[in-house]
Amino acid sequence: MTAMRWDGSTFPEFKPNCSSLLYRHLSEPAFEQLKDKITGSGFTFAQAINSGVVNQDSSIGIYAGDAESYTLFSALFDPIIADYHGFTKTDIHRSNLNMKTLSAPNPDPDGLYILSTRIRVGRNVAEVPLGPALSREQRNTIESQVAKSLCNLSGELAGTYYPLLGMDETVRDQLVADHFLFKAGDRFLDAAGLNRDWPEGRGIFHNREKTFLVWVNEEDQLRIISMQQGGDIEAVFTRLVTAVKEIEKTVTFMFDQRLGYVTSCPTNLGTAMRASVHIRLPKLAADMPAFKNIADSHHLQIRGIHGEHSESESGIFDISNKRRLGVTEVECVQDMYNGVVALINKEKEL
Ligand code: ADP
Ligand code: DAR
């Protein structure tokens, strides 16, 4: 789909087939109320919605440039947050990282369905803007401070930071192909200002086994990832919780009492957690209405094997929790686990 041009001064034109939450919730009065507002870091309303205007196939279409965006542009963010998370203005974020309250024994001990498990959280550094409004200097300072903190980790979390700048293309391509590294050139992030100065200030940290990884300065300033082959969801969650608590000793994260961990995309607010499995479900793949019915009833998102905007391959899907705000971290993982058990049972039935 070709990107549209828009100068931000007039109510945006939306194509008839546009179904983004931006399209659904941006009224003319809200646009008139917000169009000239600018946050303290200089982030404008036009910048916030540009991605959803120029990419009419967006599912959401709006990004925050700083914590203030969520209050200054709340006339639009609040209905979008309510629509996506079912989270109202009076709700507040709840956290629960206590492993003991998760009941998720491996749902596929024989390895017939689940290829791999990955649980990640997004985090941003307190006291600086979010990615869409960061300056080049701020982004580079975040990279060096975060890389320094990560390189001080020990034990299973010990590893190496690899800047994208100067990384051999074949090494980068392989990391992306193996699902370890983010893709480059995402047009949604591009239109949100998240790819400025690329690849400077971006990189990936990982341990030798690539079971603990951190993306630096992609969509969020940190994506803290725990992943491994198979369906031992409890082991993946335990490693992630340990890592987050260790990093938090040296990096102060941007946090809001109501919205939880603050992220550039509103779909990641709250826990900022996606818990996913790559799972082979060939029979359900042939019965997508049944597949979608189970996914919807368990608040699951069905994606392709290369994450967002990708296709499934040979009956393998990326299945993850949809809700991230108004639920705790344990509930995110429990959502995914309960849904995966239901999907495996249905696959066996078919
Ligand atoms: P996020 O999922 O963190 O929001 P993206 O969708 O941009 O970020 O990319 C996720 C990356 O992680 C993709 O490369 C995807 O293939 C990979 N991935 C997601 N879930 C799993 C999983 N369970 N096992 C292996 N790789 C995974
Ligand atoms: N691609 C953008 C954002 C959707 C949510 N995914 C994120 N944040 N990676 C869209 O509006 O479709």
Side-chain angles (χ1 to χ4, degrees):
M1 177 167 291
T2 51
M4 293 171 63
R5 303 296 307 163
W6 176 63
D7 71 2
S9 61
T10 55
F11 189 84
E13 178 199 337
F14 290 105
K15 292 188 172 170
N17 61 349
C18 184
S19 61
S20 65
L21 295 188
L22 169 67
Y23 167 68
R24 295 215 292 257
H25 294 286
L26 180 62
S27 64
E28 298 257 4
F31 179 75
E32 286 309 312
Q33 176 197 337
L34 297 174
K35 69 183 173 71
D36 299 320
K37 288 185 183 291
I38 305 179
T39 70
S41 45
F43 190 69
T44 66
F45 180 67
Q47 284 176 284
I49 67 171
N50 187 62
S51 185
V53 174
V54 300
N55 295 294
Q56 295 272 315
D57 56 338
S58 293
S59 54
I60 313 301
I62 186 170
Y63 292 86
D66 43 33
E68 186 188 355
S69 299
Y70 285 107
T71 46
L72 192 66
F73 310 141
S74 59
L76 179 54
F77 269 116
D78 282 351
I80 286 177
I81 289 166
D83 189 327
Y84 183 87
H85 296 282
F87 187 85
T88 66
K89 279 186 168 178
T90 52
D91 289 323
I92 58 163
H93 170 68
R94 295 175 297 116
S95 185
N96 173 13
L97 286 161
N98 179 356
M99 236 316 289
K100 296 186 177 64
T101 57
L102 175 67
S103 166
N106 191 334
D108 179 27
D110 299 331
L112 301 175
Y113 305 96
I114 298 175
L115 287 78
S116 51
T117 300
R118 173 180 186 267
I119 306 178
R120 67 82 167 154
V121 291
R123 290 290 186 270
N124 288 282
V125 175
E127 310 300 326
V128 289
L130 294 165
L134 272 182
S135 71
R136 182 176 180 180
E137 294 67 31
Q138 287 170 322
R139 189 186 305 110
N140 291 343
T141 302
I142 288 167
E143 180 190 33
S144 56
Q145 286 176 347
V146 168
K148 184 163 171 270
S149 294
L150 295 172
C151 290
N152 284 331
L153 294 172
S154 58
E156 183 192 17
L157 303 181
T160 308
Y161 178 69
Y162 304 91
L164 235 55
L165 191 62
M167 185 184 281
D168 181 291
E169 269 310 293
T170 48
V171 169
R172 193 184 67 78
D173 289 346
Q174 193 59 56
L175 283 168
V176 173
D178 293 343
H179 311 294
F180 294 124
L181 179 61
F182 46 81
K183 296 170 282 203
D186 180 296
R187 60 188 160 92
F188 301 93
L189 302 186
D190 205 46
L194 278 158
N195 291 344
R196 286 169 299 126
D197 312 311
W198 187 279
E200 190 178 328
R202 283 82 177 188
I204 181 170
F205 171 94
H206 63 74
N207 64 3
R208 196 179 48 258
E209 303 76 16
K210 297 195 186 82
T211 53
F212 169 59
L213 307 94
V214 181
W215 295 352
V216 177
N217 282 326
E218 189 233 9
E219 179 177 325
D220 289 305
Q221 287 149 21
L222 293 90
R223 286 286 176 89
I224 305 168
I225 302 162
S226 170
M227 64 194 290
Q228 64 189 55
Q229 298 305 305
D232 190 346
I233 294 165
E234 289 180 352
V236 175
F237 186 62
T238 302
R239 182 188 301 116
L240 181 76
V241 171
T242 306
V244 169
K245 288 179 175 172
E246 276 307 305
I247 298 168
E248 213 160 24
K249 289 177 184 171
T250 55
V251 181
T252 306
F253 296 140
M254 193 187 288
F255 184 83
D256 176 273
Q257 287 305 322
R258 184 172 87 87
L259 296 175
Y261 290 102
V262 182
T263 54
S264 59
C265 177
T267 63
N268 284 313
L269 289 166
T271 61
M273 178 175 278
R274 180 193 300 279
S276 71
V277 291
H278 275 182
I279 185 166
R280 184 180 288 110
L281 298 166
K283 296 192 176 74
L284 269 170
D287 186 355
M288 286 313 287
F291 196 157
K292 288 193 168 79
N293 184 37
I294 294 172
D296 291 345
S297 60
H298 286 83
H299 314 291
L300 296 181
Q301 199 175 7
I302 303 172
R303 304 191 311 167
I305 68 161
H306 285 285
E308 189 156 43
H309 308 120
S310 72
E311 301 303 319
S312 68
E313 288 173 15
S314 50
I316 299 169
F317 296 86
D318 167 333
I319 300 296
S320 59
N321 61 298
K322 183 175 180 224
R323 301 184 302 179
R324 283 184 255 290
L325 173 61
V327 286
T328 68
E329 290 82 358
V330 167
E331 287 167 342
C332 286
V333 182
Q334 201 69 63
D335 265 0
M336 183 270 276
Y337 176 81
N338 295 345
V340 165
V341 168
L343 289 169
I344 290 175
N345 290 341
K346 186 67 180 174
E347 183 72 9
K348 287 175 179 173
E349 201 182 288
L350 293 172

